Amino acid sequence: MTRFALTLEFDGTPFFGLQRQSHGPSVQQSVEDALHRITGERVVMHSAGRTDAGVHALGMRSHVDIDKPFDPFRLAAALNAQLRPDPVAVTHCEVVPDDWHARFSCTGRRYLYRILNRRPPLTLQRGHVWHVAQPLHADAMHRAAQSLVGRHDFTTFRSVHCQAADPVKSLDELRVERVGEEIHIHAAARSFLHHQVRSMVGCLKLVGAGTWPETRIASALAARDRNALGLNAPPHGLYFVEATYPDPREEPR
Amino acid sequence: MTRFALTLEFDGTPFFGLQRQSHGPSVQQSVEDALHRITGERVVMHSAGRTDAGVHALGMRSHVDIDKPFDPFRLAAALNAQLRPDPVAVTHCEVVPDDWHARFSCTGRRYLYRILNRRPPLTLQRGHVWHVAQPLHADAMHRAAQSLVGRHDFTTFRSVHCQAADPVKSLDELRVERVGEEIHIHAAARSFLHHQVRSMVGCLKLVGAGTWPETRIASALAARDRNALGLNAPPHGLYFVEATYPDPREEPR
């Protein structure tokens, strides 16, 4: 048996999420089915994150165990050929130690949230950004975001379906910047609660629009109550950017 | 009658081109039909460029004449509402003098061609870049491109359907740069022949892949013969970026 680490890029639009679902297509099913056609083996793919329906990935990290020997480069090429026409690409593939786990070994996850902030509707960017027509104040959003950085009980920003045992998480970075017509929100942490990024972005948007004062982010956090929350930002503006692992010798590039 | 200049952004994927076609949807038809629903008037839209099926625009410039009085800002908002769900947006609208003509007053046109140059297939960028898997040498492409800059007979790089009276054109800029996984080709001229940008990019790709020596671009130009040409680059990597006009007082912003 060999363990292969995969780096995946995908357009989340046609999927019901990364994880296998009984009620619709998933990235996991696409990759596992492609692997079955290549190897004849039924494998289970494990991934660093569990992205929702419509969420995209630029650099998801996953792993699979395969009995037959394969050259990693050829396995990636075969997977990319078999994945067509699904919008999933294996951008890197390499052999990792048997105790390397895409989810449990992961010590850092990074997301990007893209808002297209302009009055005219979307054309080329449809399904890939959240369109907000009212002008947003990126600096105010960034200042308010800083009250979320650090170790906190994020109960306010947690889905009712969240399965995490502990709502206390350390948020390493929450940076808001304007990039032309877009506002980018960069979020980094060891791990996130279910819907945490979209919940935080939904509240920051209210600050940016002037609906909420900047201080309300801190009070929403302190409330530890989902009723203190604004609406979640929609999934199609969210990108899983990268997963990081502690030991450089074991880190796939 | 008031003449309105429109700046249009559109995703060319679902269209048979910018110009009205008898055999399928066009950007022109979408805008003219939307205007008819708003004003009750049947107008003809004129545009700076004539983009092919699948070609996109970031800043196409067009004009329409309307009898009823309209505030330009409200006209843009009404158009954007009526254009849904077509992927066309009016990003700017203003009143211009009656002798301002989107096509005939235009003295500069700028295109961008995007190649995604990597082995893995496309996911998020489908329909918006040309995917070239073999490694391309951007510097070699840029050097070869410089032999096309200036005033030349561009017969080699002209569609058989080109209706221009004169194949002599002045190419002001043809710049090739690598931007991460992409190669961007920037082309600027007063005007272009039909398929000229896609023809030039198709040949430069052969240089970048090492199939053609750099010098072959100059000899293809000198041949003035379409048989000296490589394949055209596909339409979906091409973007009409902007049109410029000579008199700042008359230039819509």
Side-chain angles (χ1 to χ4, degrees), chain B residues 179-199:
Chain B
V179 181
E181 289 186 325
E182 294 195 13
I183 288 176
H184 289 180
I185 297 139
H186 306 270
R190 183 180 181 96
S191 62
F192 290 91
L193 297 168
H194 190 210
H195 283 184
Q196 186 182 343
V197 178
R198 288 168 53 196
S199 295

Side-chain angles (χ1 to χ4, degrees), chain B residues 111-131:
Chain B
Y111 283 92
L112 165 67
Y113 198 98
R114 289 173 60 188
I115 296 173
L116 186 61
N117 185 36
R118 67 173 196 185
R119 188 172 287 271
L122 302 183
T123 66
L124 291 149
Q125 320 83 353
R126 273 192 199 170
H128 295 159
V129 296
W130 182 19
H131 180 219

Side-chain angles (χ1 to χ4, degrees), chain A residues 58 108-115 138 141-150 154 170-180 182-190 192 196-198 200-202 204 237-242:
Chain A
L58 302 174
R109 290 156 173 98
R110 178 173 287 278
Y111 283 91
L112 165 67
Y113 198 97
R114 290 173 59 190
I115 296 173
M141 294 167 72
H142 179 73
R143 282 193 301 271
Q146 300 324 299
S147 58
L148 299 176
V149 174
F154 281 98
S170 281
L171 183 61
D172 298 325
E173 182 184 0
L174 191 60
R175 183 163 51 89
V176 184
E177 61 173 355
R178 180 170 281 280
V179 181
E182 294 194 13
I183 288 177
H184 289 180
I185 297 137
H186 306 269
R190 182 181 180 97
F192 290 90
Q196 186 182 344
V197 178
R198 288 168 54 197
M200 295 191 300
V201 170
L204 291 175
L238 185 60
Y239 295 73
F240 185 98
V241 175
E242 65 169 355

Side-chain angles (χ1 to χ4, degrees), chain A residues 9 85-86 118 123-124 126, chain B residues 9 85-86 118 123 126 128:
Chain A
E9 178 189 281
D86 296 339
R118 68 173 196 186
T123 65
L124 290 149
R126 273 193 199 169
Chain B
E9 177 189 282
D86 296 341
R118 67 173 196 185
T123 66
R126 273 192 199 170
H128 295 159

Side-chain angles (χ1 to χ4, degrees), chain A residues 9-12 56-58 73 77 80-81 83-92 116 118-126 128 131 181 239, chain B residues 9-12 56-58 73 77 80-81 83-92 116 118-126 128 131 181 239:
Chain A
E9 178 189 281
F10 58 83
D11 183 335
H56 315 295
L58 302 174
F73 186 82
N80 282 327
L83 281 164
R84 288 175 217 270
D86 296 339
V88 181
V90 177
T91 58
H92 187 74
L116 185 61
R118 68 173 196 186
R119 189 171 287 272
L122 302 184
T123 65
L124 290 149
Q125 319 82 350
R126 273 193 199 169
H128 295 156
H131 180 220
E181 288 186 325
Y239 295 73
Chain B
E9 177 189 282
F10 57 83
D11 182 335
H56 315 293
L58 302 174
F73 186 81
N80 282 328
L83 281 164
R84 289 174 215 270
D86 296 341
V88 181
V90 178
T91 58
H92 188 74
L116 186 61
R118 67 173 196 185
R119 188 172 287 271
L122 302 183
T123 66
L124 291 149
Q125 320 83 353
R126 273 192 199 170
H128 295 159
H131 180 219
E181 289 186 325
Y239 295 74

Side-chain angles (χ1 to χ4, degrees), chain A residues 13-250:
Chain A
T13 308
F15 297 109
F16 281 60
L18 171 57
Q19 279 200 297
R20 188 178 274 275
Q21 306 282 341
S22 57
H23 57 293
S26 62
V27 177
Q28 184 183 351
Q29 185 185 336
S30 283
V31 177
E32 289 174 358
D33 288 356
L35 275 168
H36 182 249
R37 290 193 291 275
I38 295 164
T39 66
E41 302 175 29
R42 277 283 168 207
V43 302
V44 174
M45 182 173 82
H46 298 270
S47 299
R50 302 180 174 200
T51 59
D52 287 324
V55 174
H56 315 295
L58 302 174
M60 178 57 70
R61 202 68 73 75
S62 306
H63 81 258
V64 288
D65 293 335
I66 300 176
D67 286 334
K68 285 203 191 71
F70 275 96
D71 170 78
F73 186 82
R74 289 182 186 277
L75 181 62
L79 268 170
N80 282 327
Q82 287 292 334
L83 281 164
R84 288 175 217 270
D86 296 339
V88 181
V90 177
T91 58
H92 187 74
C93 175
E94 71 175 314
V95 174
V96 287
D98 291 358
D99 62 350
W100 187 95
H101 195 288
R103 181 175 171 204
F104 298 120
S105 305
C106 180
T107 53
R109 290 156 173 98
R110 178 173 287 278
Y111 283 91
L112 165 67
Y113 198 97
R114 290 173 59 190
I115 296 173
L116 185 61
N117 185 35
R118 68 173 196 186
R119 189 171 287 272
L122 302 184
T123 65
L124 290 149
Q125 319 82 350
R126 273 193 199 169
H128 295 156
V129 296
W130 181 21
H131 180 220
V132 175
Q134 57 195 137
L136 298 179
H137 194 319
D139 291 343
M141 294 167 72
H142 179 73
R143 282 193 301 271
Q146 300 324 299
S147 58
L148 299 176
V149 174
R151 187 171 172 81
H152 302 289
D153 179 336
F154 281 98
T155 295
T156 303
F157 301 93
R158 179 186 195 176
S159 160
V160 290
H161 303 294
C162 182
Q163 293 168 18
D166 186 358
V168 175
K169 293 283 177 190
S170 281
L171 183 61
D172 298 325
E173 182 184 0
L174 191 60
R175 183 163 51 89
V176 184
E177 61 173 355
R178 180 170 281 280
V179 181
E181 288 186 325
E182 294 194 13
I183 288 177
H184 289 180
I185 297 137
H186 306 269
R190 182 181 180 97
S191 62
F192 290 90
L193 297 168
H194 191 211
H195 283 182
Q196 186 182 344
V197 178
R198 288 168 54 197
S199 295
M200 295 191 300
V201 170
C203 293
L204 291 175
K205 179 256 187 184
L206 294 173
V207 170
T211 313
W212 277 20
E214 291 178 30
T215 52
R216 186 149 165 196
I217 297 289
S219 53
L221 176 69
R224 291 181 223 170
D225 179 357
R226 277 195 53 82
N227 294 319
L229 191 65
L231 285 174
N232 279 2
H236 54 266
L238 185 60
Y239 295 73
F240 185 98
V241 175
E242 65 169 355
T244 50
Y245 296 83
D247 189 336
R249 288 169 301 169
E250 295 183 8

Side-chain angles (χ1 to χ4, degrees), chain B residues 23-251:
Chain B
H23 57 290
S26 63
V27 177
Q28 185 183 351
Q29 184 185 334
S30 282
V31 178
E32 288 174 357
D33 288 355
L35 275 168
H36 182 250
R37 289 193 292 274
I38 295 164
T39 66
E41 301 175 30
R42 275 285 168 206
V43 301
V44 175
M45 181 174 82
H46 298 270
S47 299
R50 303 179 172 199
T51 58
D52 289 323
V55 174
H56 315 293
L58 302 174
M60 178 58 70
R61 203 66 75 75
S62 307
H63 81 257
V64 288
D65 293 335
I66 300 176
D67 286 334
K68 285 202 190 71
F70 274 96
D71 170 77
F73 186 81
R74 287 181 187 277
L75 182 62
L79 269 170
N80 282 328
Q82 286 291 335
L83 281 164
R84 289 174 215 270
D86 296 341
V88 181
V90 178
T91 58
H92 188 74
C93 175
E94 71 175 313
V95 174
V96 287
D98 291 357
D99 62 350
W100 187 94
H101 195 288
R103 181 175 170 203
F104 297 123
S105 305
C106 179
T107 53
R109 289 157 173 97
R110 179 173 287 278
Y111 283 92
L112 165 67
Y113 198 98
R114 289 173 60 188
I115 296 173
L116 186 61
N117 185 36
R118 67 173 196 185
R119 188 172 287 271
L122 302 183
T123 66
L124 291 149
Q125 320 83 353
R126 273 192 199 170
H128 295 159
V129 296
W130 182 19
H131 180 219
V132 175
Q134 56 194 139
L136 297 179
H137 194 316
D139 292 342
M141 294 168 71
H142 180 73
R143 283 192 300 269
Q146 300 324 300
S147 57
L148 299 176
V149 174
R151 187 171 171 81
H152 302 289
D153 179 335
F154 280 98
T155 295
T156 303
F157 299 93
R158 179 184 195 180
S159 159
V160 291
H161 303 294
C162 182
Q163 293 167 16
D166 186 356
V168 174
K169 292 284 177 192
S170 280
L171 183 62
D172 298 325
E173 181 184 4
L174 191 61
R175 183 162 52 88
V176 183
E177 62 174 353
R178 181 169 280 280
V179 181
E181 289 186 325
E182 294 195 13
I183 288 176
H184 289 180
I185 297 139
H186 306 270
R190 183 180 181 96
S191 62
F192 290 91
L193 297 168
H194 190 210
H195 283 184
Q196 186 182 343
V197 178
R198 288 168 53 196
S199 295
M200 295 190 300
V201 170
C203 292
L204 290 175
K205 179 257 186 181
L206 294 173
V207 170
T211 312
W212 279 19
E214 290 178 30
T215 52
R216 189 152 162 193
I217 296 290
S219 53
L221 176 68
R224 292 181 221 169
D225 179 357
R226 278 197 50 83
N227 294 319
L229 192 63
L231 285 174
N232 280 1
H236 55 265
L238 185 60
Y239 295 74
F240 186 97
V241 175
E242 64 168 356
T244 51
Y245 296 84
D247 190 335
R249 289 168 302 171
E250 297 183 7
E251 182 172 359

